[in-house]
Amino acid sequence: MILSATINDKNSAELELDFTTRTWSIPPAAAKWNHVMFSDRGVFDVRPSGVIWLLDGLGSRKKDCTVILHAAPTGEQDLAHRAGTGRAYAPALPAYKDGEIRWRILRSSPLAVAAIANTSGSLTPVRAKAKEIAEQLLPKPGELSKGVPAPGARGTGCGEFPGRVMRRMPVLGPPQRGAFEIAVPGLGKLYLTSPMTQWEEFAKAVDQKYNPAKRIWVPFSGSNRPKTGDIYTLTNFENQAKFQHVGMIISAEGNSWVTADGGQGNGWQSGFVRRKFYATGQIDGEFGNKAWMKGWVDLDNLRETLAQWFPKGL
């Protein structure tokens, strides 16, 4: 969703709100909202009182509430809240503090309307099936599914989504007889349907056992790119030895990617996510954090190596 916001009737900017990742951004050509924001992007918080807090400092540990929007929209499809007011709570320039803001919706975000139209690479039967399943499982772009963490659950539910896609292929999983399983050092037995974040370790174990001509685990090298249906993993921006996220690629074209992910919203919701990708491997991560692309499970190579466990025709 694209908003126009003006402070004190003279200083204006266009803001894009992404309700899936709960992030805001200003188009690169506009750089920053002059003297109002410290940066050109950040996270936002939709409050129960019907306001939005725009928090500055995307990816940093300190996130200040710079701007408050009153009577704000609650989602991409919210047509009841088209315009309103607000105030500068902690602006970059102190002179703007408590300045009056007027905002209005200009248009929908282009990629929020057709986020899943594009694909990457040739759509082999297994890749087409993975995309089809994602479209069936997830709500339309710009929205999130309902999701509630299980009692005592920690972290997020991102590792559950790829296994859910596998179950819909369908491939067998426990307790079904004949399900593919492999012992992964330090992790025990894992299945294609397991709710796991350790897809890298799983793929490497399959590579080691079967020694396929085309490796299943593909590390990011700088020039290579994943394709539709591949299961990608991200590492922490400040500590690349630390895991951050796993999900499924829908489109990895240029610097604007679309992925299908669990671990959204409250950490247990799912949806299509737009991500900004950089040639260095930096990619917008979860909850407004930056991350690094680690690599991906090549879906074609996985199916070819484990063909007997996949449906015929894929």
Side-chain angles (χ1 to χ4, degrees), residues 12 15 39 54 78 80 82 89 100 103 117 151 179 183 202 219 246 281 287 292:
S12 300
L15 301 160
S39 59
L54 299 181
D78 185 354
R82 306 292 302 178
Y89 178 78
E100 183 183 34
W103 64 267
F202 177 88
V246 62
F287 306 106
W292 295 106

Coordinates of all heavy atoms in Angstrom, one line a residue, residues 12 15 39 54 78 80 82 89 100 103 117 151 179 183 202 219 246 281 287 292:
S12 N 6.5 16.6 2.2 CA 5.8 15.4 1.8 C 6.7 14.2 1.4 O 7.8 14.4 1.0 CB 4.8 15.7 0.6 OG 3.9 16.7 1.0
L15 N 5.1 6.8 1.1 CA 5.5 5.7 2.0 C 4.8 4.4 1.5 O 3.6 4.4 1.2 CB 5.1 5.9 3.5 CG 5.7 7.2 4.1 CD1 4.8 7.5 5.3 CD2 7.1 6.9 4.6
S39 N 16.0 7.3 8.3 CA 16.4 6.4 7.2 C 15.3 6.3 6.2 O 14.2 7.0 6.3 CB 16.7 5.0 7.8 OG 15.6 4.5 8.5
L54 N 5.3 4.1 13.1 CA 6.3 3.9 12.1 C 7.6 4.0 12.9 O 8.0 5.0 13.4 CB 6.3 4.9 11.0 CG 5.1 5.0 10.1 CD1 5.2 6.1 9.1 CD2 4.8 3.7 9.5
D78 N -7.7 -3.0 3.3 CA -8.6 -2.1 4.1 C -8.9 -0.9 3.3 O -8.1 0.0 3.1 CB -7.8 -1.8 5.4 CG -8.7 -1.0 6.4 OD1 -9.8 -0.6 6.0 OD2 -8.3 -0.7 7.5
A80 N -11.7 1.0 4.2 CA -12.5 1.9 5.1 C -11.7 3.0 5.6 O -12.2 4.1 5.9 CB -13.0 1.0 6.3
R82 N -9.1 5.5 4.4 CA -8.5 6.1 3.2 C -7.6 7.3 3.4 O -6.7 7.6 2.6 CB -9.5 6.4 2.1 CG -10.5 5.3 1.8 CD -9.8 4.2 1.0 NE -9.2 4.6 -0.2 CZ -8.5 3.8 -1.0 NH1 -8.4 2.5 -0.7 NH2 -7.9 4.2 -2.1
Y89 N 6.4 11.9 16.4 CA 6.6 11.7 17.8 C 8.1 11.9 18.1 O 8.4 12.5 19.1 CB 6.2 10.2 18.1 CG 6.5 9.8 19.5 CD1 5.6 10.2 20.6 CD2 7.6 9.0 19.9 CE1 5.9 9.9 21.9 CE2 7.8 8.6 21.2 CZ 7.0 9.1 22.2 OH 7.2 8.7 23.5
E100 N 2.0 18.2 12.8 CA 0.8 17.5 12.3 C 1.0 16.9 11.0 O 1.6 17.5 10.1 CB -0.4 18.5 12.2 CG -1.7 17.8 11.8 CD -2.8 18.8 11.6 OE1 -2.6 20.0 11.1 OE2 -4.0 18.4 11.8
W103 N -2.2 12.2 6.0 CA -1.9 11.1 5.1 C -3.1 10.7 4.3 O -4.2 10.9 4.7 CB -1.3 9.9 5.9 CG -2.3 9.3 6.8 CD1 -2.4 9.6 8.1 CD2 -3.2 8.3 6.5 NE1 -3.4 8.8 8.7 CE2 -3.9 8.0 7.7 CE3 -3.6 7.6 5.4 CZ2 -5.0 7.1 7.8 CZ3 -4.6 6.6 5.4 CH2 -5.3 6.4 6.6
A117 N 2.8 -13.8 -9.6 CA 2.6 -14.0 -11.0 C 3.9 -14.5 -11.7 O 3.9 -15.3 -12.6 CB 2.2 -12.8 -11.7
P151 N 1.3 -24.5 22.8 CA 1.8 -24.2 24.2 C 3.3 -24.6 24.4 O 3.7 -25.7 24.0 CB 0.9 -25.1 25.0 CG -0.4 -25.3 24.2 CD 0.1 -25.4 22.8
A179 N 7.8 -44.2 4.2 CA 8.2 -42.8 4.1 C 9.8 -42.7 4.1 O 10.5 -43.5 4.8 CB 7.7 -42.0 5.4
A183 N 19.1 -40.5 8.6 CA 19.8 -40.1 9.9 C 20.7 -39.0 9.6 O 21.7 -39.1 8.8 CB 20.5 -41.3 10.5
F202 N 19.9 -31.7 6.2 CA 19.1 -32.8 5.6 C 19.6 -33.0 4.2 O 19.9 -34.1 3.8 CB 17.6 -32.4 5.6 CG 16.8 -33.4 4.9 CD1 16.2 -34.5 5.6 CD2 16.5 -33.3 3.5 CE1 15.4 -35.4 4.9 CE2 15.7 -34.2 2.9 CZ 15.1 -35.2 3.6
P219 N 25.1 -24.1 -2.2 CA 25.4 -22.9 -1.5 C 25.4 -21.6 -2.4 O 25.7 -21.7 -3.6 CB 26.9 -23.2 -1.0 CG 27.3 -24.3 -1.8 CD 26.2 -25.0 -2.4
V246 N 14.0 -20.1 7.1 CA 13.8 -21.0 6.0 C 12.5 -20.8 5.3 O 11.5 -20.5 6.0 CB 14.0 -22.5 6.4 CG1 13.0 -22.9 7.4 CG2 14.1 -23.4 5.2
G281 N 24.4 -10.8 -1.5 CA 23.8 -11.9 -0.7 C 22.9 -11.4 0.4 O 22.2 -12.1 1.0
F287 N 10.8 -9.8 10.2 CA 10.5 -8.9 11.3 C 11.4 -7.6 11.1 O 11.8 -7.0 12.1 CB 10.6 -9.5 12.7 CG 9.8 -10.7 12.8 CD1 10.4 -11.9 12.9 CD2 8.4 -10.6 12.9 CE1 9.6 -13.1 13.0 CE2 7.7 -11.8 13.1 CZ 8.3 -13.0 13.1
W292 N 21.5 -12.8 5.5 CA 22.3 -13.2 4.4 C 21.7 -14.5 3.8 O 21.3 -15.4 4.5 CB 23.7 -13.5 4.8 CG 24.5 -12.3 5.3 CD1 24.8 -12.0 6.6 CD2 25.0 -11.3 4.6 NE1 25.4 -10.9 6.7 CE2 25.6 -10.3 5.5 CE3 25.1 -11.0 3.2 CZ2 26.3 -9.2 5.1 CZ3 25.7 -9.8 2.8 CH2 26.3 -8.9 3.7

